[in-house]
Each structure stands twice: as C-alpha cells, then as structure tokens.
Amino acid sequence: MKIINNNKSKSKSKVKVIPLGGLGEIGKNITAFEYEDEIVIIDCGLAFPDEDLYGIDLIIPDVTYLVRNKDKVKGFFITHGHEDHIGGLPYVLKQINAPIYGTKLTLGLIESKLQEHNILNDCTLNMVNAGDIIELGNLKVEFIRTNHSIADSCSIALHTPVGVIVHTGDFKIDFTPIGGETMDMQRYAQLGKRGVLLLMADSTNALHEGYTMSEKTVGEALENLFTKADGRVIVATFASNIHRVQQIANASIKNGRKIAFSGRSMEKISEVAISLGYLFIPKEMIIDLNKIKDYSNERVTIITTGSQGEPMAALTRIASGTHRSIQIENGDMVIISASPIPGNQKAVSSVINDLTQKGANVIYGAIEDIHVSGHACQQELRLIHALLKPKFFIPVHGEYKHLINHAKIAEDMGMDKSNIFILETGDVFELARKKAQVAGKVQSGRVLIDGMGVGDVGNIVLSDRKKLAEDGIITVVIVIDRENKTIISGPNIVTRGFVYVRDSEELIRDIRRIVVKSVERCLDNNVTEWSEIKNSIRREVDNFVYTKMKRRPMVLPIITEI
Amino acid sequence: MKIINNNKSKSKSKVKVIPLGGLGEIGKNITAFEYEDEIVIIDCGLAFPDEDLYGIDLIIPDVTYLVRNKDKVKGFFITHGHEDHIGGLPYVLKQINAPIYGTKLTLGLIESKLQEHNILNDCTLNMVNAGDIIELGNLKVEFIRTNHSIADSCSIALHTPVGVIVHTGDFKIDFTPIGGETMDMQRYAQLGKRGVLLLMADSTNALHEGYTMSEKTVGEALENLFTKADGRVIVATFASNIHRVQQIANASIKNGRKIAFSGRSMEKISEVAISLGYLFIPKEMIIDLNKIKDYSNERVTIITTGSQGEPMAALTRIASGTHRSIQIENGDMVIISASPIPGNQKAVSSVINDLTQKGANVIYGAIEDIHVSGHACQQELRLIHALLKPKFFIPVHGEYKHLINHAKIAEDMGMDKSNIFILETGDVFELARKKAQVAGKVQSGRVLIDGMGVGDVGNIVLSDRKKLAEDGIITVVIVIDRENKTIISGPNIVTRGFVYVRDSEELIRDIRRIVVKSVERCLDNNVTEWSEIKNSIRREVDNFVYTKMKRRPMVLPIITEI
C-alpha cells in the first residue's frame, strides 16, 4: 500500500528541467532539475567571450534562480572536467555552497581550480565511480561511463518519481578507447528497455554524418610521424586531452625520446593526471623543460599548450620567437594535434606560418589526420536514440543549427515531432509521466567576468569600449567662471586612439574654436545646466570631426567651474 | 645583325621582380617588374584588417618605391576585378597616374571605384581582350584567358629581353565554365614549348589535393534545391561572382521566379555586369526589392550580399530582423553559396543560427555542396607547371604555409630546389637568362586606411585603441594655481569603458584622494614640470587600480593652470 501511495503522491508533482546555459551556444553548460524541494544541477561551466566583448575574460551563467532556491540545491553533478562544464564552479559555489559530485579526474581538476580561488576548504567534493547511484531524497543520480576527449567522462541518469531522465553529457562512442572502457551501452540498453522518459543529448556534431574516429587512430598517425622525425618533436594539443597526451608519450617512449611539458595548464593537468593514475609515463622519461638542451634533438619530445593559437600560450610564443627556453631549429617537427575552434582559425594559421618560416616542419589538420573529435556524429547519435527510445527528447550542447539538426535526426527515426523540444536558456520545462511542456521562464543569461569584477560590466561600458576601440577619444577640458560667464582656461583638447592627420594641429585648433563658440553661445543664452553645455560641445565637435574625417571618436567634455 | 646586337645589349640588363604585397598573406596583391627605365605593375589590391587593427577600414600596400620611380611606370595591368587586386588603385593612382589595362568587366568595376573616389576623369583606362599583347618599350604584356570566381580573368605573360615571365593571376582550370571559355592552355603550352624563364603562380589552394570542381556543379546543386523550394529562395553569394549569380538567375527563371537584388554591391555589380553583357537576365524577370510583396513567395528569388556574415550586409540584417524590406517567413529557403573566409566562421555561424531560429530552411556548406573555390588545387597546379616547365619559380598569392607547399609541389615534379624562390614583400628579385637571385630590398609594408585618413594611423594610436578597448579610460582633470602651489579645483575623475564595480563611488573617491596626495607631494617638492606631475598621477592611479581591480585602464591626467 505504501508503495502505491507513494506513487500516487509522486505522480502529482512534476519534474522541472531548467537549462541555464549551453543551449543556442557551445559553452557554459548548466542544467537544473527540480522536483518538489530538491534541485540537482548537472555541470556548471563557463564560456569564452567573442571579440565584441572587449576586455571580458570569461562568461559564467546567470544563476539567480538557483541562488533564490539555494536551500533546495542538493549538489552539483559534473559529467567531466572540461572548462565549459566546470569553469563556472568557483564563482557559483561562492553563492551556492552545495556538494560537488564527480569522478576522480574530474574532481582533481575542480580541486586545483578551487584552490586557485582560495575556496577549496569551504567546499565538499564527493568522489564517485561510473556506475554509482547517489540517492538524495526523491531523486537518484546515476553516473554512466562514456567516452570523450577527456578521461573519466560520464553520462547521468536521473531517476525521478515521474521517470528516468538521461543526460548524455559530452560523449562519443569509442570502441577502442585509450586507457579506459567503451561507453556503457549495456546500461543504456537496460535503461531504454525499462523506459526512459526524457533524453537530453550532446548535439555538437549533429551536422556531421557517420561516426567519429577512435582516439586510437590518432596514436597510429602520431607513431608514423615520430618514426620519420629526426629533430625534436613538438606536439601541441589540449592539456585536458589526457588520452592524447598518453599517446604522444607512448610514441615518444617507443622512439627513445624524453618528454618535457610546456605551458602552465599542460604542466598542471599532466601532474594531476599522473598523480591520480590517469597518465602513465615512467618518471625517468620526463625531463624539465630547462633541461632539453642536455639531450640531442632526436631524443626530445615537447608536449605543449597553444593548439588554438592563443596569444599567450607556449606554442604561440615559440612561433613568435619569444619563448624563454624553446627556439625553433631546422629539423624540428611541430604537430598541431587539435582542430581550430571556430573563431581561432586565423590565429592558428598565423602560428603555422611563423613556425614554418622559422624552419619547422609543421604537421596540422590540412596535411595529416592527427586529431579526432570528442563528440558523437550522426550515426552515434542514432545509436543512442535506438538504445534509449525516450518518450521525450531535448537536444542540448549546441548552437541552434546543431539543435535543430539533432531534432531532425530524432524525427527521422520515427519520434513524434511534438515530443521533441528545442529549448532556450531559462525555459522551465515541466515533465510529467505522459506530458511535457515549456511552462515558464526564469531569469537567465550571461554574467561577464572582467578582472576582479564579477558581472558588473554593463552594456554601456561595452559599447563605450567598442567606440573607443574603433575611433578613440577626444577629451575637451574647459574651466569656466560661471558668475562672470567667461572661459577662464581651455579648451584643452587631448586625444587618444584618434587618427592623427597630417594637419592635426590645424584640426585641434579648429576643434578648440568650435568649443569656444559653443560654450559662449550657451553662456550668452543663460544656459545654466552643465549637461546642456556638454551636450552642445559634444554635438558640435562630433559633427565637425565627422564632416572632416568621416570618424566618430568619443567626445568627452569635462567642465570645471571656479 | 641588328637582332644580334639587340640581344647582346638586352642580356646585359636584368629584370627586377619586386612584389610589394600578396606574399605571406592573401590580400593586397601587387608586383612590379622593372627593366631599365620601364616598370610594369601587375595588380594593385587591398587587404582587409584583422581584429587587432582597431578601427582600421582597409589596408593598401606601401608603394613608396614606385612613387620614387613613377616616371618609369608604364601602367597597371590588372588580372581581374577582385578587391585584393583592384582595391588599392584609387589610393595609388593619386600618387602614380599611369594608365590602367584590363578586360572589359575588370575595367567596369575599376571605373565605378574611381568614380566613387572622384578621380575617374583623371585616369586613363585601356580595355584589352584576352590574347592581346601590349607593346611598351622593351617589355610586352600579354593577357591570357583563365577561369576564376569572377568573369574576364586573365594571366599575364610578360615578354622581356631576358625571357618570358608568366604570372598566373588567380585561376582555376574549369573545363565546363559558365559564360566563357576554358583557360587558354594551348597558349600556356606554346609559351612552355618556347621556354618560360619564370613562373609566378597562385598558391591559395596549394594545401588541397585533387582539383577544384567546375562552377557548373554548383548550378546543378542550385537547380535541385530550387525545385524543392515552395517559399521564397534567398541566395547569398559574393557580388563579384557573376557566373554564380548567372546560375542562380537561371535556376530562378527555370522555376518561374522573379529576381530581386539586395545589398549595395550586389545591386551595383549586377548592374555593371548586365550593362557590359556579362550577366544575362531578361529585363522582365528582374524586380525591385520593394516590389517583392506583389508576388507570391514561390515566385520570388532574392540574390543578396552577406555570405560572410559581415555586420552591415543585407543577409546579416535579414537574420537579425533589421532589414528594411525583407522579413524571414516560415518556408523561406536561404542558401549561403560561399565558404566562410578564415576569420568569418563565427559571424556566418551566428547568421545561420538567427535565420534558422526565425523559421528559414538554411542551406550551407556543411549541408550541401553549393560552393566551389575559384583557385586551383594541387593537380591543377601540377598541370600548369607541366605545361610551362619554367626555369625559375616563385609561388605567389598565399600565406607562408601555402607558398612552401606550392614550392614542394614544384620540387616533387623535378624542379631544382635552388631555382625555387620563396620571396617576401619588398624583396628585389633579379632575373637574368641563366641566373636569378634576391639582390636587395625596397621599402614595403602596409598603409592603414582609417576613414578619410590615409596611412596616418601609427602604432601609438593602435596600441591606445587596444588599451581603450580592453580596459577603458580614467580621465583625471585638475586645475592648479602654480604660484600658490595649490589645487584650485578637482581632481575631477571621469571614466569611460572602465568596469563599474559595486562600490565604484568609493573607488572614485579613493582615486581622487590618491591624485590629491600625488599632486601635493609634487608641488611641495617644487616639481615644476607638468609632465612630471602627470607621470606621478598616472603611476599612482595605475598601481592603485591594478591592485584593486587587476585592470589597467588608460589613465589620462589633464592639468590646467591658472
């Protein structure tokens, strides 16, 4: 009887699924699952800013809704250790101090992040293994092993009173993975057989037919290259791609090369991975970067950051000749074992050009297959849908074009269109046993992190930066004796970032003349509001400069009254 | 006897080949060929700025060397009408007024450009046909038909006393071109048979195996799509790709659709192309963009600019919902018939997402093959080398990675490595009958165009803009009575583009306090140089703000003395 009662009471409440990031974008993944007085959060990532966000360092999700309901939050359940899944934690944990659950490597990476932010001691980290089920109140969270471009990745099955929700996390299906097992498809099948109410699945590669190649194929390509190399081999890849690093290390050891790590995150993550037993390199094969000169070139491999051409990363500094301990020599082979993320193509291209020009033999995507994606392509997505046969489906982790294509894949496999939901960040998706719908909206969006400031860069600041970036600034300083209605000193014209013209002195003189006229006219007309005088200066200088130069620098009048 | 004499005297002088742009970059192509007192210039293009060139509109080559030798310049010989080959002309012609030679369409596009700059009447435009040879003094310039993504493109064979130089211009080999003939390979073979001293060839696609597909294949793909469309069809492509526009028009007419042009350059170039007979569309099939509402959706095609996601282009405005006369409706098919140029991927992606979200069915590269390149791939490059069998070779039109790969292709075909030269912009390449070498360097580089200013944006202005873009500005205004060593008014602190912090009032108060202290200390110590007082303010405010905010806004002290 108790069970029946229980079931009855359960069926009255609905599960709310609230994505607060990761939809319509690739980045800052975070989704809340709410049932009565329990909230479970899957992932808590950051996003990197586009160029139009001048001066912004990174973006985290707006978690106002969670802060308001923080007493309900039972924990953060993290699928894997990539920045777009863990990077928001240090900021969000300061507002919502709930325990974090994740596998060993994932927690290792989170730990070093919390340490940097000096909040590790205030946080609770709970280690789980793939296969574990964490029982909260009504909700149970199950971790299921997957494959991805970082070790120890998991899907999550959320067992709720209305049914099972499967969130794939980022995944691919690798039948020959490095240092691990294939995704637990048997558990997927079992869940599918019993009935899955909702699937939320990775859409990153939903535009790509076929399936993603195994990580192992990269190892084979790398070994081929290593046997051909007779100078140093410098390989750039993502520091977090530990399986890749393992394969680079294997190829090195096979060819009698010592291994040096270059770049802060490469040093840090490889250290964490070795200490936790995810990366196996005999101690005697690792050398300090400062010691590479002690070995002949054909005995050295350098594994480095900078595969995306990031301005301050090690490979970029090697390419520009500004690296402290690595200068390119003739015979060096540089392997860029990563694809450029959209937006980084130009930067990567310029690194390749610089390295080639300095004499390196640069191997990259256009030349050899030395990278595979960490995300499932269409055929793998179909397999997941076939195993789980969910009643409802929400494509996640993608821009709109990815989501809509993933939805089409599900539809083509026979799913009812009305059971597929393309959500937006902030949507409240209400899920019952037989019905699902978007039933509201909560506050959501992006919080911009700029230096030490969190979330205080408003649109005005950003649009000011844009204007300053494009046309610079003209500052007009003037000292006025308001009583006597006279200009005591100035106008003093100072420009920065404004195009210098051959006859700039004349231009400045003209601006000064225009300001004087403008102010005198105001004073003569008994304009008493400084803001009006400033507007008049701004308008007239702006007009004049635009007519003369076809430019609109920011005009900043500053009036001092004596 | 005369001929022999002639030959003798000729063999004494060398031909100088001086690239002033287009090497180590894709953009601002221009090369000078100098023989005794004659200079021939091939192409005169512009480049578009990277994002780090804040506020710069475009870049033209530094032609100081040509200006110094302008009496020698016999003419500009233009291979085709793309911006990176003609865009520098309006600026360079103001300094070097030599005649321009080109085919009809190329001149048509140059003409409208010179008209915009109000210098058409001062310029001499000489129309040529493919096959024409222009005899100057010792130099003869021959135009040879090629295929490219713009009609009326040519290679140039420069006949000099030391031998023949072939400059391919931008080309591909299209065996089924639209509205024209296949590249004149018979002439290439003939020149090769007689002996080519130097080849300079397009390297854009030197990293791509195989050959570039025919423009005709795009027409077939477009026709397939048009038959499936039941709403409007909106096709974005490069305005200058007249063959593409022709094929879009053909598919439209076949399906009973009227054609409207959208976007300034699309309207302008299609008008030029129709009037010169390069684009054939029955007059009654063209409608004004404002009239599209008069026709049912399945009777309308819109051909538009914006295939690169350019912020102000028509397609971008359609996507963001800010276009004056086109709003996306359900059932609209949008075809992006172009590949994103490196650097534009993110912008294009966001246009695709916006259009999809508004209900359009967006067809783009990742989904269908609706674009082909205008540049030759490796197999075509090999063919050209085989036909011409040049003694010397300079790969051109490419970044360093393209040039080096093109060099490898030539080497693999058996060319002597010492006869292949990878040049840099500004190199003076001296060419004799049997010998060639880099023999010097002339001034070269980039001239930045910013609004009406030409070449007057220096590094200081750019680095100021960068600083302003990232961290904004803090202006400190202070009025000092130097005689009495007192601050009369201020400091007045005004910030722009500077992060607002929650406690910004306190921060500003702190800055004010620091400035007062700093100035008073200077005055007390009898510092009399304004610049020293300013430095002191700058240093202390900078330190304080960095400690507090981890930011370094520009600090601009302005002191007024009374």
Side-chain angles (χ1 to χ4, degrees):
Chain A
M1 277 299 279
K2 205 191 160 198
I3 293 167
I4 294 168
N5 263 342
N6 230 354
N7 266 346
K8 260 192 187 163
S9 82
K10 277 171 188 168
S11 62
K12 274 183 205 161
S13 294
K14 288 171 183 165
V15 171
K16 288 183 198 160
V17 180
I18 309 172
L20 293 170
L23 293 178
E25 65 179 332
I26 293 188
K28 67 176 170 63
N29 296 284
I30 177 169
T31 312
F33 300 82
E34 184 172 355
Y35 181 82
E36 293 179 351
D37 58 349
E38 294 169 44
I39 290 180
V40 155
I41 300 168
I42 295 187
D43 291 334
C44 184
L46 60 73
F48 293 102
D50 287 344
E51 300 101 33
D52 58 337
L53 290 177
Y54 291 102
I56 299 302
D57 297 320
L58 42 95
I59 302 165
I60 58 167
D62 181 340
V63 293
T64 306
Y65 178 77
L66 298 177
V67 173
R68 282 194 195 129
N69 293 282
K70 65 178 165 187
D71 294 340
K72 290 187 177 184
V73 175
K74 300 300 170 203
F76 294 89
F77 298 80
I78 310 298
T79 58
H80 64 285
H82 277 153
E83 286 292 346
D84 57 332
H85 294 257
I86 69 170
L89 279 172
Y91 303 93
V92 172
L93 284 171
K94 284 173 195 156
Q95 305 170 70
I96 306 162
N97 193 357
I100 305 161
Y101 296 82
T103 52
K104 192 159 70 169
L105 179 66
T106 307
L107 288 194
L109 295 170
I110 292 171
E111 210 176 287
S112 89
K113 202 168 267 296
L114 300 180
Q115 212 145 33
E116 259 180 40
H117 281 257
N118 269 323
I119 56 168
L120 181 57
N121 290 333
D122 311 326
C123 300
T124 314
L125 277 68
N126 297 319
M127 202 181 80
V128 300
N129 291 306
D132 285 356
I133 299 181
I134 294 95
E135 309 220 356
L136 305 165
N138 283 300
L139 300 176
K140 297 178 185 60
V141 185
E142 177 182 356
F143 283 77
I144 303 173
R145 185 192 326 109
T146 56
N147 305 123
H148 186 43
S149 47
I150 185 169
D152 239 9
S153 295
C154 286
S155 292
I156 284 174
L158 182 67
H159 300 265
T160 81
V162 302
V164 175
I165 300 172
V166 174
H167 189 297
T168 64
D170 294 10
F171 83 103
K172 67 190 270 189
I173 301 173
D174 194 334
F175 294 111
T176 53
I178 303 302
E181 287 172 61
T182 297
M183 182 165 173
D184 189 354
M185 284 182 293
Q186 294 179 329
R187 180 60 183 156
Y188 262 65
Q190 200 174 33
L191 289 169
K193 194 81 189 163
R194 288 188 201 154
V196 168
L197 187 63
L198 170 66
L199 167 65
M200 303 173 77
D202 180 0
S203 309
T204 315
N205 273 347
L207 286 164
H208 292 99
E209 285 179 27
Y211 60 95
T212 297
M213 298 288 284
S214 171
E215 177 64 28
K216 203 177 178 182
T217 60
V218 177
E220 289 156 10
L222 286 172
E223 279 195 19
N224 272 334
L225 288 169
F226 269 74
T227 56
K228 284 183 216 155
D230 42 18
R232 293 182 299 185
V233 179
I234 301 170
V235 192
T237 192
F238 294 109
S240 64
N241 198 337
I242 288 148
H243 293 149
R244 185 71 46 84
V245 173
Q246 182 71 65
Q247 298 202 94
I248 299 163
N250 293 351
S252 301
I253 294 167
K254 218 168 173 173
N255 288 276
R257 288 173 182 271
K258 303 275 181 189
I259 297 149
F261 293 104
S262 152
R264 208 173 65 96
S265 66
M266 190 59 82
E267 287 167 25
K268 213 172 70 184
I269 295 184
S270 62
E271 192 188 309
V272 171
I274 289 173
S275 75
L276 296 180
Y278 286 87
L279 183 59
F280 303 93
I281 308 179
K283 220 173 176 176
E284 68 276 12
M285 292 308 289
I286 301 179
I287 58 174
D288 196 278
L289 200 57
N290 301 318
K291 296 282 163 60
I292 52 173
K293 293 261 156 66
D294 300 350
Y295 299 84
S296 61
N297 283 355
E298 73 277 13
R299 290 280 159 264
V300 173
T301 297
I302 299 162
I303 308 180
T304 181
T305 55
S307 66
Q308 296 302 310
E310 308 93 325
M312 299 306 294
L315 189 66
T316 313
R317 284 182 284 128
I318 295 171
S320 65
T322 57
H323 194 283
R324 200 169 29 82
S325 37
I326 310 172
Q327 285 78 39
I328 287 295
E329 299 171 18
N330 268 319
D332 283 347
M333 176 186 279
V334 178
I335 303 174
I336 301 182
S337 184
S339 295
I341 293 169
N344 296 345
Q345 285 95 337
K346 266 194 162 177
V348 174
S349 198
S350 121
V351 165
I352 293 170
N353 287 322
D354 288 350
L355 290 168
T356 311
Q357 209 147 10
K358 289 198 162 58
N361 177 17
V362 188
I363 315 286
Y364 52 102
I367 293 183
E368 297 258 0
D369 286 336
I370 36 160
H371 178 63
V372 294
S373 168
H375 298 273
C377 290
Q378 293 180 357
Q379 200 65 353
E380 291 155 277
L381 297 176
R382 289 189 189 103
L383 176 53
I384 295 306
H385 283 266
L387 287 174
L388 291 176
K389 289 194 183 302
K391 183 166 179 59
F392 300 108
F393 170 51
I394 302 174
V396 297
H397 205 280
E399 297 171 19
Y400 193 78
K401 61 180 182 182
H402 303 117
L403 304 181
I404 199 114
N405 236 59
H406 198 173
K408 269 184 205 153
I409 289 170
E411 215 188 314
D412 286 346
M413 287 182 69
M415 204 165 170
D416 193 339
K417 199 176 177 170
S418 63
N419 287 352
I420 303 173
F421 295 84
I422 294 190
L423 299 190
E424 286 176 8
T425 291
D427 277 347
V428 178
F429 178 79
E430 274 189 359
L431 185 65
R433 274 171 200 280
K434 304 209 165 162
K435 213 185 130 194
Q437 62 177 352
V438 175
K441 198 104 187 163
V442 300
Q443 180 177 331
S444 71
R446 59 189 192 181
V447 174
L448 308 179
I449 310 282
D450 178 339
M452 301 289 271
V454 175
D456 17 43
V457 182
N459 284 332
I460 294 175
V461 169
L462 281 175
S463 73
D464 279 355
R465 286 185 186 168
K466 186 166 154 46
K467 205 172 173 61
L468 291 167
E470 281 168 7
D471 294 337
I473 186 168
I474 301 180
T475 311
V476 178
V477 176
I478 195 159
V479 183
I480 291 181
D481 177 346
R482 186 150 54 167
E483 252 176 59
N484 299 315
K485 289 191 184 178
T486 51
I487 299 173
I488 298 179
S489 171
N492 197 346
I493 312 289
V494 183
T495 77
R496 286 291 182 275
F498 177 56
V499 56
Y500 293 144
V501 281
R502 291 210 179 75
D503 43 3
S504 70
E505 273 179 44
E506 195 193 315
L507 187 87
I508 299 295
R509 218 164 26 235
D510 286 346
I511 294 175
R512 204 175 284 131
R513 197 173 34 75
I514 284 163
V515 172
V516 170
K517 259 197 205 158
S518 169
V519 173
E520 285 178 349
R521 194 179 318 116
C522 288
L523 293 174
D524 289 350
N525 293 333
N526 287 315
V527 173
T528 49
E529 287 294 323
W530 278 167
S531 61
E532 262 184 73
I533 301 182
K534 283 182 190 174
N535 280 339
S536 161
I537 294 173
R538 204 176 284 126
R539 196 171 48 242
E540 294 182 32
V541 172
D542 183 86
N543 276 343
F544 171 74
V545 171
Y546 186 75
T547 314
K548 199 103 180 175
M549 310 272 305
K550 293 280 172 286
R551 285 283 146 190
R552 293 201 186 281
M554 180 181 285
V555 179
L556 181 63
I558 302 175
I559 302 178
T560 305
E561 183 186 356
I562 294 188
Chain B
M1 278 299 279
K2 204 190 160 198
I3 294 169
I4 294 167
N5 263 343
N6 231 353
N7 267 347
K8 260 193 189 166
S9 82
K10 275 167 190 170
S11 62
K12 273 185 207 161
S13 295
K14 289 170 182 166
V15 171
K16 288 185 201 162
V17 180
I18 309 172
L20 293 170
L23 292 179
E25 64 179 335
I26 294 187
K28 65 175 170 65
N29 296 284
I30 176 169
T31 311
F33 300 82
E34 184 172 352
Y35 181 82
E36 293 178 351
D37 58 349
E38 295 170 42
I39 290 180
V40 155
I41 301 168
I42 296 187
D43 291 334
C44 184
L46 59 74
F48 294 102
D50 286 344
E51 302 100 32
D52 59 337
L53 290 177
Y54 292 103
I56 300 302
D57 297 321
L58 43 95
I59 302 166
I60 59 167
D62 181 340
V63 293
T64 306
Y65 179 77
L66 298 177
V67 173
R68 285 199 192 125
N69 293 283
K70 64 180 167 188
D71 294 340
K72 290 187 177 183
V73 176
K74 300 300 170 203
F76 294 89
F77 298 80
I78 311 296
T79 58
H80 65 284
H82 278 154
E83 286 292 346
D84 57 333
H85 295 256
I86 69 171
L89 279 172
Y91 304 92
V92 173
L93 284 170
K94 282 172 196 157
Q95 305 169 69
I96 306 163
N97 193 357
I100 305 161
Y101 297 82
T103 52
K104 191 158 71 167
L105 179 66
T106 307
L107 287 193
L109 294 171
I110 292 172
E111 207 176 289
S112 91
K113 200 166 269 293
L114 299 180
Q115 210 144 34
E116 260 180 41
H117 282 257
N118 271 322
I119 56 168
L120 181 57
N121 290 334
D122 311 324
C123 299
T124 314
L125 277 66
N126 297 319
M127 203 179 79
V128 300
N129 292 307
D132 285 358
I133 299 180
I134 294 96
E135 310 220 357
L136 305 165
N138 282 298
L139 301 176
K140 298 178 184 60
V141 185
E142 176 180 358
F143 283 78
I144 304 173
R145 186 192 326 109
T146 55
N147 305 122
H148 187 42
S149 46
I150 185 168
D152 240 6
S153 295
C154 285
S155 292
I156 284 175
L158 184 65
H159 301 264
T160 82
V162 301
V164 175
I165 300 173
V166 175
H167 189 298
T168 63
D170 294 9
F171 82 102
K172 66 190 271 190
I173 301 173
D174 194 336
F175 294 112
T176 53
I178 304 302
E181 287 172 63
T182 297
M183 182 165 172
D184 189 353
M185 283 182 295
Q186 293 178 330
R187 181 60 182 155
Y188 262 65
Q190 200 174 33
L191 289 170
K193 193 81 187 162
R194 286 189 202 153
V196 169
L197 187 63
L198 171 66
L199 168 64
M200 303 173 77
D202 180 0
S203 310
T204 315
N205 273 347
L207 285 165
H208 291 98
E209 285 177 27
Y211 60 93
T212 298
M213 299 287 285
S214 170
E215 177 65 29
K216 202 176 180 184
T217 60
V218 178
E220 289 156 10
L222 287 171
E223 279 196 19
N224 272 334
L225 289 169
F226 269 75
T227 56
K228 286 184 215 157
D230 42 19
R232 294 182 299 187
V233 178
I234 302 170
V235 192
T237 193
F238 293 109
S240 64
N241 197 338
I242 289 148
H243 293 150
R244 187 68 49 83
V245 173
Q246 182 71 64
Q247 298 202 94
I248 300 164
N250 292 351
S252 301
I253 294 166
K254 214 165 175 177
N255 287 276
R257 288 175 181 270
K258 302 274 184 191
I259 296 149
F261 292 105
S262 153
R264 207 174 65 96
S265 67
M266 191 60 83
E267 288 168 23
K268 214 173 69 182
I269 295 183
S270 62
E271 193 188 308
V272 172
I274 289 172
S275 75
L276 296 181
Y278 286 86
L279 184 59
F280 304 92
I281 309 178
K283 220 172 176 178
E284 68 277 11
M285 292 308 288
I286 300 178
I287 57 174
D288 195 278
L289 199 58
N290 302 319
K291 296 280 162 61
I292 52 173
K293 292 261 155 62
D294 299 350
Y295 300 83
S296 62
N297 283 354
E298 74 277 12
R299 290 281 158 265
V300 173
T301 296
I302 298 162
I303 307 180
T304 181
T305 56
S307 66
Q308 295 301 311
E310 307 93 323
M312 300 308 293
L315 188 66
T316 313
R317 284 181 284 126
I318 296 172
S320 65
T322 56
H323 194 282
R324 202 169 29 81
S325 37
I326 310 172
Q327 285 78 39
I328 287 294
E329 298 172 19
N330 269 318
D332 283 348
M333 177 187 278
V334 178
I335 303 174
I336 302 182
S337 185
S339 295
I341 292 169
N344 295 344
Q345 285 95 339
K346 266 195 158 174
V348 173
S349 198
S350 123
V351 165
I352 292 170
N353 285 321
D354 289 349
L355 290 167
T356 311
Q357 209 147 10
K358 290 199 160 59
N361 177 17
V362 187
I363 315 286
Y364 52 102
I367 293 182
E368 296 257 2
D369 286 335
I370 37 161
H371 178 63
V372 294
S373 169
H375 297 273
C377 290
Q378 293 180 358
Q379 201 64 354
E380 291 155 277
L381 297 177
R382 290 189 189 103
L383 176 53
I384 294 306
H385 282 268
L387 287 173
L388 291 177
K389 289 192 185 300
K391 182 164 179 58
F392 300 108
F393 171 50
I394 301 173
V396 297
H397 207 280
E399 297 171 18
Y400 193 79
K401 61 180 182 183
H402 304 115
L403 304 181
I404 198 112
N405 236 61
H406 198 173
K408 270 184 205 154
I409 289 169
E411 214 187 314
D412 287 346
M413 287 182 70
M415 203 166 171
D416 193 339
K417 198 174 177 174
S418 62
N419 286 352
I420 303 172
F421 296 84
I422 295 191
L423 300 190
E424 286 176 9
T425 291
D427 278 346
V428 178
F429 178 80
E430 273 189 1
L431 187 63
R433 273 171 201 277
K434 305 210 162 159
K435 214 186 130 196
Q437 62 177 354
V438 176
K441 197 103 187 163
V442 301
Q443 180 176 332
S444 70
R446 58 192 194 181
V447 174
L448 308 177
I449 310 282
D450 179 339
M452 302 289 271
V454 175
D456 18 42
V457 182
N459 284 332
I460 295 174
V461 169
L462 282 175
S463 73
D464 278 356
R465 285 185 187 170
K466 184 166 156 44
K467 205 171 174 57
L468 291 167
E470 282 168 7
D471 294 335
I473 187 168
I474 301 180
T475 310
V476 178
V477 175
I478 195 159
V479 182
I480 292 181
D481 176 346
R482 186 148 55 164
E483 252 176 60
N484 299 314
K485 288 191 186 177
T486 51
I487 300 173
I488 298 178
S489 172
N492 197 347
I493 312 289
V494 184
T495 79
R496 285 293 182 273
F498 178 54
V499 56
Y500 292 144
V501 281
R502 294 208 177 77
D503 45 2
S504 68
E505 274 179 42
E506 197 194 314
L507 187 88
I508 299 294
R509 217 162 30 231
D510 286 344
I511 294 176
R512 203 175 285 130
R513 197 172 35 74
I514 285 163
V515 173
V516 170
K517 260 199 207 158
S518 169
V519 173
E520 285 179 349
R521 195 179 318 117
C522 288
L523 293 175
D524 289 351
N525 292 333
N526 289 314
V527 172
T528 49
E529 285 297 321
W530 279 166
S531 61
E532 261 183 75
I533 302 181
K534 283 183 187 172
N535 280 339
S536 161
I537 295 173
R538 204 175 286 127
R539 195 171 48 240
E540 294 183 32
V541 173
D542 183 85
N543 275 343
F544 172 74
V545 171
Y546 186 75
T547 314
K548 200 103 180 177
M549 309 275 303
K550 293 280 171 287
R551 285 283 147 191
R552 295 203 184 280
M554 181 182 284
V555 178
L556 183 62
I558 302 176
I559 301 178
T560 306
E561 185 186 355
I562 292 188

